Amino acid sequence: CPPTAATGSDEEDDSDASTKPIRSEKKKNPVSLFQTGGDPPKEKKTKKKAPPKAAESEEETPETPPKNSNKKGKGKKSKKAKEERAPSPVIEVDNLEEFVLRPAPQGVTIKCRVTRDKKGMDRGLYPTYYVHLDNDKKVFLLAGRKRKKSKTSNYLISIDPTDLSRGGENFIGKLRSNLMGTKFTVFDNGANPDRANADWSNVRQELSAVVYETNVLGFKGPRKMTVIIPGMNTDNERVPIRPRNDNDGLLMRWQNKNMDNVIELHNKAPVWNDETQSYVLNFHGRVTHASVKNFQIVHSSDPDYIVLQFGRVADDAFTMDYNYPLCAVQAFAIALSSFDGKLACE
């Protein structure tokens, strides 16, 4: 399938959005797109200031100033600034485990770099992937690797670059595919439902699901991805989704159109460019190499608000930029799904 190239030109982007310019001008803030659960709307006003309340870390403090300045300009103003692959803003990662599961602060894009390490005995088949903040300090966030003896694709995600064991205390989540390798589910590090305690509070949460659409010929043309995530409550926290069995997870809810507390996102369709004879998306300088793995995830009600973008910058290096309401584990797992063998056509 043809790879998706990055375009730096704003014209490309504008032509892309030209069908709905007026609506996106009046766009409400993106937060409302993801709110599903919890209390009636009238509570929103008092609780709007909730995030700082949960300030377990300094990381939340830079949230307030950029809040308004960034939001309206999401679509237009912030473009120019990003052109030079601007580094991530200063982000304090005081407690790594907490940070990688916490949604990005509103109005702040968390910019990361993913590297793929294929060295070693069987790393060709089972490379290790590392996520670092894309800033001066290059703070390590996550590592992921495919498990070897699994019937389906199963990636472990860890907060320790040297410990990718299932039993270790650094295990933070996993990505599991169906037998076909077209649907993926992302779990946190909670317990399997078989080992639930009385009130189910220890049972693992489903953080996301990813569905790749196939056609009769396998994957031809740009990939189509659907990403399903839990909604957010009025305190801007993720609504916990703890399925008791396989029939209750995000994928089944989505298939049965039971979308309570569930948000559906899609990858932005790239546009065919006759000049370059390739599909293109505007990554504003953050992606430099054409690849079938390049994607941007958006909500259909606001295609200008990029929830997650991922793309190649070198043979084994990629940028991964995510925004509210995603956390690092969700973003990384969605990116890992795009590396999976059954989808590959590069």
Side-chain angles (χ1 to χ4, degrees):
C1 46
T4 297
T7 163
S9 78
D10 273 336
E11 292 150 64
E12 189 67 50
D13 199 57
D14 294 340
S15 67
D16 190 356
S18 62
T19 42
K20 336 180 174 100
I22 300 105
R23 225 185 73 224
S24 57
E25 292 303 323
K26 296 191 193 125
K27 200 68 83 197
K28 292 204 307 285
N29 82 40
V31 174
S32 56
L33 298 174
F34 306 105
Q35 216 166 59
T36 58
D39 308 305
K42 66 167 186 287
E43 275 222 293
K44 277 183 199 163
K45 282 189 191 58
T46 51
K47 293 219 171 158
K48 227 9 168 210
K49 299 188 187 69
K53 178 193 80 176
E56 304 97 3
S57 79
E58 311 95 85
E59 201 265 341
E60 227 98 40
T61 38
E63 184 189 47
T64 337
K67 214 169 188 181
N68 303 332
S69 61
N70 219 353
K71 243 172 228 158
K72 289 199 195 65
K74 237 344 174 220
K76 296 272 177 280
K77 290 194 201 72
S78 54
K79 267 181 204 167
K80 291 285 177 285
K82 280 191 207 153
E83 263 351 333
E84 302 83 53
R85 187 161 159 240
S88 194
V90 175
I91 285 160
E92 293 296 326
V93 183
D94 47 354
N95 175 335
L96 187 53
E97 182 171 0
E98 220 172 74
F99 176 83
V100 296
L101 288 168
R102 192 191 314 134
Q106 294 161 29
V108 176
T109 300
I110 298 191
K111 298 179 179 179
C112 306
R113 192 174 177 90
V114 176
T115 47
R116 173 171 58 184
D117 176 10
K118 294 179 178 168
K119 297 182 204 59
M121 272 280 287
D122 48 13
R123 288 282 177 82
L125 286 171
Y126 299 99
T128 305
Y129 300 91
Y130 301 101
V131 184
H132 291 81
L133 282 180
D134 194 7
N135 56 14
D136 298 340
K137 291 187 186 160
K138 302 274 179 286
V139 180
F140 167 81
L141 296 181
L142 293 164
R145 193 176 71 217
K146 199 173 189 172
R147 293 182 78 179
K148 292 180 184 140
K149 294 187 173 65
S150 227
K151 286 191 207 60
T152 60
S153 295
N154 202 329
Y155 291 80
L156 287 187
I157 299 172
S158 167
I159 47 173
D160 181 334
T162 60
D163 172 20
L164 281 145
S165 62
R166 173 73 177 81
E169 57 200 40
N170 297 304
F171 168 70
I172 193 83
K174 72 172 188 175
L175 168 76
R176 189 179 73 193
S177 83
N178 64 349
L179 279 168
M180 292 279 295
T182 52
K183 295 177 179 164
F184 295 81
T185 305
V186 183
F187 301 95
D188 72 0
N189 53 359
N192 191 305
D194 308 343
R195 294 190 283 281
N197 57 18
D199 63 356
W200 285 79
S201 59
N202 67 332
V203 170
R204 63 189 180 196
Q205 291 187 39
E206 284 193 13
L207 299 179
S208 176
V210 189
V211 179
Y212 288 87
E213 201 175 294
T214 55
N215 56 28
V216 189
L217 303 166
F219 289 86
K220 204 169 73 84
R223 290 180 177 176
K224 286 192 172 152
M225 299 165 69
T226 301
V227 172
I228 305 129
I229 57 170
M232 307 298 277
N233 66 19
T234 45
D235 284 344
N236 299 310
E237 289 157 358
R238 217 175 8 253
V239 176
I241 297 209
R242 292 194 169 90
R244 304 194 167 207
N245 55 51
D246 286 343
N247 299 323
D248 182 33
L250 287 170
L251 283 170
M252 287 307 283
R253 294 182 188 204
W254 174 75
Q255 275 162 310
N256 298 331
K257 302 200 168 24
N258 166 19
M259 299 299 282
D260 291 345
N261 293 328
V262 177
I263 302 284
E264 180 179 324
L265 307 169
H266 294 275
N267 65 319
K268 200 170 189 172
V271 183
W272 179 257
N273 180 324
D274 276 336
E275 250 171 81
T276 58
Q277 287 293 295
S278 64
Y279 288 98
V280 293
L281 273 173
N282 191 346
F283 289 91
H284 305 297
R286 291 284 295 161
V287 174
T288 52
H289 287 46
S291 167
V292 66
K293 298 179 178 70
N294 297 351
F295 62 78
Q296 290 176 325
I297 302 293
V298 294
H299 190 293
S300 54
S301 304
D302 185 356
D304 296 334
Y305 181 75
I306 310 272
V307 180
L308 168 63
Q309 79 175 14
F310 180 76
R312 176 172 266 159
V313 290
D315 279 352
D316 287 308
F318 304 80
T319 48
M320 177 183 92
D321 300 346
Y322 67 95
N323 280 302
Y324 181 89
L326 287 194
C327 68
V329 171
Q330 285 169 312
F332 183 39
I334 295 165
L336 279 177
S337 75
S338 80
F339 286 106
D340 200 58
K342 298 214 170 121
L343 302 168
C345 52
E346 278 189 287

PDB file of all heavy atoms in Angstrom, residues 294-321:
ATOM      1  N   ASN A 294       2.538   6.430   9.049  1.00  0.00           N
ATOM      2  CA  ASN A 294       2.233   7.814   9.451  1.00  0.00           C
ATOM      3  C   ASN A 294       0.717   7.993   9.596  1.00  0.00           C
ATOM      4  O   ASN A 294      -0.040   7.607   8.704  1.00  0.00           O
ATOM      5  CB  ASN A 294       2.733   8.800   8.383  1.00  0.00           C
ATOM      6  CG  ASN A 294       4.241   8.771   8.222  1.00  0.00           C
ATOM      7  OD1 ASN A 294       4.942   8.146   9.006  1.00  0.00           O
ATOM      8  ND2 ASN A 294       4.740   9.452   7.196  1.00  0.00           N
ATOM      9  N   PHE A 295       0.289   8.568  10.699  1.00  0.00           N
ATOM     10  CA  PHE A 295      -1.148   8.816  10.834  1.00  0.00           C
ATOM     11  C   PHE A 295      -1.427   9.988  11.774  1.00  0.00           C
ATOM     12  O   PHE A 295      -0.568  10.385  12.564  1.00  0.00           O
ATOM     13  CB  PHE A 295      -1.885   7.559  11.320  1.00  0.00           C
ATOM     14  CG  PHE A 295      -1.470   7.072  12.687  1.00  0.00           C
ATOM     15  CD1 PHE A 295      -1.934   7.694  13.841  1.00  0.00           C
ATOM     16  CD2 PHE A 295      -0.633   5.966  12.836  1.00  0.00           C
ATOM     17  CE1 PHE A 295      -1.558   7.241  15.111  1.00  0.00           C
ATOM     18  CE2 PHE A 295      -0.255   5.501  14.096  1.00  0.00           C
ATOM     19  CZ  PHE A 295      -0.725   6.146  15.228  1.00  0.00           C
ATOM     20  N   GLN A 296      -2.633  10.516  11.665  1.00  0.00           N
ATOM     21  CA  GLN A 296      -3.151  11.512  12.608  1.00  0.00           C
ATOM     22  C   GLN A 296      -4.527  11.028  13.036  1.00  0.00           C
ATOM     23  O   GLN A 296      -5.338  10.638  12.188  1.00  0.00           O
ATOM     24  CB  GLN A 296      -3.283  12.883  11.929  1.00  0.00           C
ATOM     25  CG  GLN A 296      -1.947  13.525  11.614  1.00  0.00           C
ATOM     26  CD  GLN A 296      -2.100  14.850  10.857  1.00  0.00           C
ATOM     27  OE1 GLN A 296      -3.007  15.009  10.042  1.00  0.00           O
ATOM     28  NE2 GLN A 296      -1.204  15.785  11.103  1.00  0.00           N
ATOM     29  N   ILE A 297      -4.780  11.046  14.348  1.00  0.00           N
ATOM     30  CA  ILE A 297      -6.072  10.589  14.878  1.00  0.00           C
ATOM     31  C   ILE A 297      -6.885  11.809  15.288  1.00  0.00           C
ATOM     32  O   ILE A 297      -6.389  12.679  16.008  1.00  0.00           O
ATOM     33  CB  ILE A 297      -5.859   9.664  16.101  1.00  0.00           C
ATOM     34  CG1 ILE A 297      -4.998   8.445  15.724  1.00  0.00           C
ATOM     35  CG2 ILE A 297      -7.198   9.224  16.693  1.00  0.00           C
ATOM     36  CD1 ILE A 297      -5.636   7.470  14.765  1.00  0.00           C
ATOM     37  N   VAL A 298      -8.142  11.860  14.816  1.00  0.00           N
ATOM     38  CA  VAL A 298      -8.996  13.022  15.093  1.00  0.00           C
ATOM     39  C   VAL A 298     -10.401  12.560  15.467  1.00  0.00           C
ATOM     40  O   VAL A 298     -10.783  11.412  15.218  1.00  0.00           O
ATOM     41  CB  VAL A 298      -9.090  13.958  13.859  1.00  0.00           C
ATOM     42  CG1 VAL A 298      -7.751  14.605  13.542  1.00  0.00           C
ATOM     43  CG2 VAL A 298      -9.617  13.210  12.633  1.00  0.00           C
ATOM     44  N   HIS A 299     -11.162  13.494  16.033  1.00  0.00           N
ATOM     45  CA  HIS A 299     -12.577  13.276  16.319  1.00  0.00           C
ATOM     46  C   HIS A 299     -13.348  13.832  15.127  1.00  0.00           C
ATOM     47  O   HIS A 299     -13.040  14.918  14.642  1.00  0.00           O
ATOM     48  CB  HIS A 299     -12.944  14.051  17.594  1.00  0.00           C
ATOM     49  CG  HIS A 299     -14.301  13.716  18.133  1.00  0.00           C
ATOM     50  ND1 HIS A 299     -15.460  14.019  17.476  1.00  0.00           N
ATOM     51  CD2 HIS A 299     -14.680  13.107  19.296  1.00  0.00           C
ATOM     52  CE1 HIS A 299     -16.505  13.618  18.203  1.00  0.00           C
ATOM     53  NE2 HIS A 299     -16.048  13.047  19.305  1.00  0.00           N
ATOM     54  N   SER A 300     -14.368  13.104  14.667  1.00  0.00           N
ATOM     55  CA  SER A 300     -15.030  13.546  13.435  1.00  0.00           C
ATOM     56  C   SER A 300     -15.678  14.929  13.594  1.00  0.00           C
ATOM     57  O   SER A 300     -15.873  15.641  12.620  1.00  0.00           O
ATOM     58  CB  SER A 300     -16.072  12.524  12.996  1.00  0.00           C
ATOM     59  OG  SER A 300     -16.952  12.278  14.067  1.00  0.00           O
ATOM     60  N   SER A 301     -15.999  15.332  14.834  1.00  0.00           N
ATOM     61  CA  SER A 301     -16.620  16.651  15.013  1.00  0.00           C
ATOM     62  C   SER A 301     -15.624  17.799  14.947  1.00  0.00           C
ATOM     63  O   SER A 301     -16.014  18.954  14.890  1.00  0.00           O
ATOM     64  CB  SER A 301     -17.325  16.730  16.367  1.00  0.00           C
ATOM     65  OG  SER A 301     -18.249  15.701  16.459  1.00  0.00           O
ATOM     66  N   ASP A 302     -14.333  17.498  15.025  1.00  0.00           N
ATOM     67  CA  ASP A 302     -13.329  18.561  14.953  1.00  0.00           C
ATOM     68  C   ASP A 302     -12.043  18.015  14.352  1.00  0.00           C
ATOM     69  O   ASP A 302     -11.079  17.738  15.052  1.00  0.00           O
ATOM     70  CB  ASP A 302     -13.068  19.130  16.364  1.00  0.00           C
ATOM     71  CG  ASP A 302     -12.119  20.327  16.325  1.00  0.00           C
ATOM     72  OD1 ASP A 302     -11.610  20.648  15.226  1.00  0.00           O
ATOM     73  OD2 ASP A 302     -11.878  20.947  17.378  1.00  0.00           O
ATOM     74  N   PRO A 303     -12.014  17.866  13.017  1.00  0.00           N
ATOM     75  CA  PRO A 303     -10.833  17.246  12.391  1.00  0.00           C
ATOM     76  C   PRO A 303      -9.573  18.087  12.508  1.00  0.00           C
ATOM     77  O   PRO A 303      -8.485  17.626  12.179  1.00  0.00           O
ATOM     78  CB  PRO A 303     -11.247  17.079  10.918  1.00  0.00           C
ATOM     79  CG  PRO A 303     -12.497  17.846  10.741  1.00  0.00           C
ATOM     80  CD  PRO A 303     -13.084  18.166  12.064  1.00  0.00           C
ATOM     81  N   ASP A 304      -9.687  19.338  12.991  1.00  0.00           N
ATOM     82  CA  ASP A 304      -8.484  20.164  13.148  1.00  0.00           C
ATOM     83  C   ASP A 304      -7.775  19.890  14.465  1.00  0.00           C
ATOM     84  O   ASP A 304      -6.626  20.274  14.647  1.00  0.00           O
ATOM     85  CB  ASP A 304      -8.842  21.662  13.119  1.00  0.00           C
ATOM     86  CG  ASP A 304      -9.400  22.059  11.766  1.00  0.00           C
ATOM     87  OD1 ASP A 304      -9.057  21.385  10.775  1.00  0.00           O
ATOM     88  OD2 ASP A 304     -10.183  23.013  11.703  1.00  0.00           O
ATOM     89  N   TYR A 305      -8.472  19.272  15.406  1.00  0.00           N
ATOM     90  CA  TYR A 305      -7.860  18.999  16.710  1.00  0.00           C
ATOM     91  C   TYR A 305      -7.230  17.611  16.635  1.00  0.00           C
ATOM     92  O   TYR A 305      -7.917  16.593  16.578  1.00  0.00           O
ATOM     93  CB  TYR A 305      -8.924  19.046  17.810  1.00  0.00           C
ATOM     94  CG  TYR A 305      -8.360  18.786  19.198  1.00  0.00           C
ATOM     95  CD1 TYR A 305      -7.630  19.774  19.857  1.00  0.00           C
ATOM     96  CD2 TYR A 305      -8.572  17.569  19.846  1.00  0.00           C
ATOM     97  CE1 TYR A 305      -7.103  19.539  21.128  1.00  0.00           C
ATOM     98  CE2 TYR A 305      -8.054  17.338  21.125  1.00  0.00           C
ATOM     99  CZ  TYR A 305      -7.320  18.327  21.747  1.00  0.00           C
ATOM    100  OH  TYR A 305      -6.807  18.101  23.001  1.00  0.00           O
ATOM    101  N   ILE A 306      -5.891  17.580  16.585  1.00  0.00           N
ATOM    102  CA  ILE A 306      -5.188  16.300  16.403  1.00  0.00           C
ATOM    103  C   ILE A 306      -4.983  15.663  17.777  1.00  0.00           C
ATOM    104  O   ILE A 306      -4.227  16.181  18.604  1.00  0.00           O
ATOM    105  CB  ILE A 306      -3.824  16.517  15.728  1.00  0.00           C
ATOM    106  CG1 ILE A 306      -3.968  17.385  14.471  1.00  0.00           C
ATOM    107  CG2 ILE A 306      -3.158  15.175  15.439  1.00  0.00           C
ATOM    108  CD1 ILE A 306      -4.251  16.719  13.193  1.00  0.00           C
ATOM    109  N   VAL A 307      -5.663  14.559  18.022  1.00  0.00           N
ATOM    110  CA  VAL A 307      -5.554  13.881  19.309  1.00  0.00           C
ATOM    111  C   VAL A 307      -4.195  13.170  19.410  1.00  0.00           C
ATOM    112  O   VAL A 307      -3.556  13.157  20.451  1.00  0.00           O
ATOM    113  CB  VAL A 307      -6.708  12.864  19.461  1.00  0.00           C
ATOM    114  CG1 VAL A 307      -6.613  12.136  20.794  1.00  0.00           C
ATOM    115  CG2 VAL A 307      -8.056  13.579  19.351  1.00  0.00           C
ATOM    116  N   LEU A 308      -3.752  12.597  18.287  1.00  0.00           N
ATOM    117  CA  LEU A 308      -2.476  11.872  18.269  1.00  0.00           C
ATOM    118  C   LEU A 308      -1.932  11.914  16.848  1.00  0.00           C
ATOM    119  O   LEU A 308      -2.684  11.704  15.898  1.00  0.00           O
ATOM    120  CB  LEU A 308      -2.722  10.405  18.665  1.00  0.00           C
ATOM    121  CG  LEU A 308      -1.572   9.405  18.446  1.00  0.00           C
ATOM    122  CD1 LEU A 308      -0.358   9.741  19.290  1.00  0.00           C
ATOM    123  CD2 LEU A 308      -2.037   7.972  18.760  1.00  0.00           C
ATOM    124  N   GLN A 309      -0.651  12.242  16.708  1.00  0.00           N
ATOM    125  CA  GLN A 309      -0.042  12.059  15.395  1.00  0.00           C
ATOM    126  C   GLN A 309       1.265  11.301  15.556  1.00  0.00           C
ATOM    127  O   GLN A 309       1.975  11.441  16.545  1.00  0.00           O
ATOM    128  CB  GLN A 309       0.122  13.372  14.635  1.00  0.00           C
ATOM    129  CG  GLN A 309       1.279  14.231  15.024  1.00  0.00           C
ATOM    130  CD  GLN A 309       1.407  15.461  14.095  1.00  0.00           C
ATOM    131  OE1 GLN A 309       0.499  15.805  13.341  1.00  0.00           O
ATOM    132  NE2 GLN A 309       2.534  16.117  14.175  1.00  0.00           N
ATOM    133  N   PHE A 310       1.543  10.483  14.534  1.00  0.00           N
ATOM    134  CA  PHE A 310       2.677   9.586  14.605  1.00  0.00           C
ATOM    135  C   PHE A 310       3.270   9.499  13.213  1.00  0.00           C
ATOM    136  O   PHE A 310       2.541   9.393  12.233  1.00  0.00           O
ATOM    137  CB  PHE A 310       2.188   8.201  15.050  1.00  0.00           C
ATOM    138  CG  PHE A 310       3.280   7.172  15.153  1.00  0.00           C
ATOM    139  CD1 PHE A 310       4.152   7.188  16.229  1.00  0.00           C
ATOM    140  CD2 PHE A 310       3.440   6.198  14.171  1.00  0.00           C
ATOM    141  CE1 PHE A 310       5.169   6.240  16.335  1.00  0.00           C
ATOM    142  CE2 PHE A 310       4.451   5.245  14.264  1.00  0.00           C
ATOM    143  CZ  PHE A 310       5.317   5.275  15.352  1.00  0.00           C
ATOM    144  N   GLY A 311       4.595   9.577  13.110  1.00  0.00           N
ATOM    145  CA  GLY A 311       5.174   9.473  11.776  1.00  0.00           C
ATOM    146  C   GLY A 311       6.679   9.332  11.818  1.00  0.00           C
ATOM    147  O   GLY A 311       7.349   9.620  12.813  1.00  0.00           O
ATOM    148  N   ARG A 312       7.211   8.908  10.689  1.00  0.00           N
ATOM    149  CA  ARG A 312       8.614   8.534  10.618  1.00  0.00           C
ATOM    150  C   ARG A 312       9.498   9.755  10.380  1.00  0.00           C
ATOM    151  O   ARG A 312       9.186  10.616   9.577  1.00  0.00           O
ATOM    152  CB  ARG A 312       8.770   7.534   9.471  1.00  0.00           C
ATOM    153  CG  ARG A 312      10.187   7.110   9.209  1.00  0.00           C
ATOM    154  CD  ARG A 312      10.236   5.982   8.201  1.00  0.00           C
ATOM    155  NE  ARG A 312      10.256   4.707   8.900  1.00  0.00           N
ATOM    156  CZ  ARG A 312       9.905   3.553   8.346  1.00  0.00           C
ATOM    157  NH1 ARG A 312       9.475   3.522   7.124  1.00  0.00           N
ATOM    158  NH2 ARG A 312       9.998   2.452   9.043  1.00  0.00           N
ATOM    159  N   VAL A 313      10.640   9.798  11.099  1.00  0.00           N
ATOM    160  CA  VAL A 313      11.632  10.848  10.859  1.00  0.00           C
ATOM    161  C   VAL A 313      12.988  10.255  10.463  1.00  0.00           C
ATOM    162  O   VAL A 313      13.875  10.966  10.020  1.00  0.00           O
ATOM    163  CB  VAL A 313      11.805  11.780  12.089  1.00  0.00           C
ATOM    164  CG1 VAL A 313      10.564  12.640  12.287  1.00  0.00           C
ATOM    165  CG2 VAL A 313      12.094  10.992  13.358  1.00  0.00           C
ATOM    166  N   ALA A 314      13.159   8.941  10.628  1.00  0.00           N
ATOM    167  CA  ALA A 314      14.385   8.255  10.206  1.00  0.00           C
ATOM    168  C   ALA A 314      14.029   6.772  10.109  1.00  0.00           C
ATOM    169  O   ALA A 314      12.904   6.390  10.424  1.00  0.00           O
ATOM    170  CB  ALA A 314      15.517   8.470  11.226  1.00  0.00           C
ATOM    171  N   ASP A 315      14.996   5.933   9.714  1.00  0.00           N
ATOM    172  CA  ASP A 315      14.663   4.522   9.521  1.00  0.00           C
ATOM    173  C   ASP A 315      14.029   3.898  10.757  1.00  0.00           C
ATOM    174  O   ASP A 315      13.071   3.144  10.662  1.00  0.00           O
ATOM    175  CB  ASP A 315      15.925   3.719   9.157  1.00  0.00           C
ATOM    176  CG  ASP A 315      16.224   3.874   7.674  1.00  0.00           C
ATOM    177  OD1 ASP A 315      15.368   4.466   6.980  1.00  0.00           O
ATOM    178  OD2 ASP A 315      17.295   3.427   7.226  1.00  0.00           O
ATOM    179  N   ASP A 316      14.601   4.198  11.913  1.00  0.00           N
ATOM    180  CA  ASP A 316      14.088   3.584  13.136  1.00  0.00           C
ATOM    181  C   ASP A 316      13.702   4.635  14.168  1.00  0.00           C
ATOM    182  O   ASP A 316      13.789   4.399  15.369  1.00  0.00           O
ATOM    183  CB  ASP A 316      15.135   2.618  13.723  1.00  0.00           C
ATOM    184  CG  ASP A 316      15.235   1.353  12.878  1.00  0.00           C
ATOM    185  OD1 ASP A 316      14.184   0.736  12.621  1.00  0.00           O
ATOM    186  OD2 ASP A 316      16.359   0.997  12.460  1.00  0.00           O
ATOM    187  N   ALA A 317      13.272   5.791  13.706  1.00  0.00           N
ATOM    188  CA  ALA A 317      12.854   6.853  14.637  1.00  0.00           C
ATOM    189  C   ALA A 317      11.560   7.491  14.135  1.00  0.00           C
ATOM    190  O   ALA A 317      11.368   7.682  12.933  1.00  0.00           O
ATOM    191  CB  ALA A 317      13.950   7.907  14.770  1.00  0.00           C
ATOM    192  N   PHE A 318      10.695   7.794  15.080  1.00  0.00           N
ATOM    193  CA  PHE A 318       9.362   8.312  14.765  1.00  0.00           C
ATOM    194  C   PHE A 318       9.033   9.403  15.778  1.00  0.00           C
ATOM    195  O   PHE A 318       9.510   9.357  16.910  1.00  0.00           O
ATOM    196  CB  PHE A 318       8.321   7.189  14.878  1.00  0.00           C
ATOM    197  CG  PHE A 318       8.626   5.989  14.022  1.00  0.00           C
ATOM    198  CD1 PHE A 318       9.554   5.043  14.439  1.00  0.00           C
ATOM    199  CD2 PHE A 318       8.005   5.806  12.795  1.00  0.00           C
ATOM    200  CE1 PHE A 318       9.868   3.938  13.651  1.00  0.00           C
ATOM    201  CE2 PHE A 318       8.319   4.709  11.998  1.00  0.00           C
ATOM    202  CZ  PHE A 318       9.244   3.768  12.427  1.00  0.00           C
ATOM    203  N   THR A 319       8.193  10.360  15.364  1.00  0.00           N
ATOM    204  CA  THR A 319       7.680  11.293  16.367  1.00  0.00           C
ATOM    205  C   THR A 319       6.264  10.863  16.736  1.00  0.00           C
ATOM    206  O   THR A 319       5.519  10.356  15.896  1.00  0.00           O
ATOM    207  CB  THR A 319       7.644  12.753  15.863  1.00  0.00           C
ATOM    208  OG1 THR A 319       7.044  12.771  14.567  1.00  0.00           O
ATOM    209  CG2 THR A 319       9.014  13.360  15.802  1.00  0.00           C
ATOM    210  N   MET A 320       5.928  11.066  17.996  1.00  0.00           N
ATOM    211  CA  MET A 320       4.598  10.736  18.496  1.00  0.00           C
ATOM    212  C   MET A 320       4.150  11.905  19.363  1.00  0.00           C
ATOM    213  O   MET A 320       4.753  12.166  20.402  1.00  0.00           O
ATOM    214  CB  MET A 320       4.680   9.445  19.332  1.00  0.00           C
ATOM    215  CG  MET A 320       3.374   9.032  19.966  1.00  0.00           C
ATOM    216  SD  MET A 320       3.579   7.543  20.999  1.00  0.00           S
ATOM    217  CE  MET A 320       3.921   8.276  22.605  1.00  0.00           C
ATOM    218  N   ASP A 321       3.151  12.634  18.904  1.00  0.00           N
ATOM    219  CA  ASP A 321       2.673  13.811  19.636  1.00  0.00           C
ATOM    220  C   ASP A 321       1.229  13.556  20.046  1.00  0.00           C
ATOM    221  O   ASP A 321       0.397  13.227  19.201  1.00  0.00           O
ATOM    222  CB  ASP A 321       2.725  15.056  18.730  1.00  0.00           C
ATOM    223  CG  ASP A 321       4.135  15.361  18.240  1.00  0.00           C
ATOM    224  OD1 ASP A 321       5.091  14.792  18.798  1.00  0.00           O
ATOM    225  OD2 ASP A 321       4.266  16.154  17.291  1.00  0.00           O
TER     226      ASP A 321
END
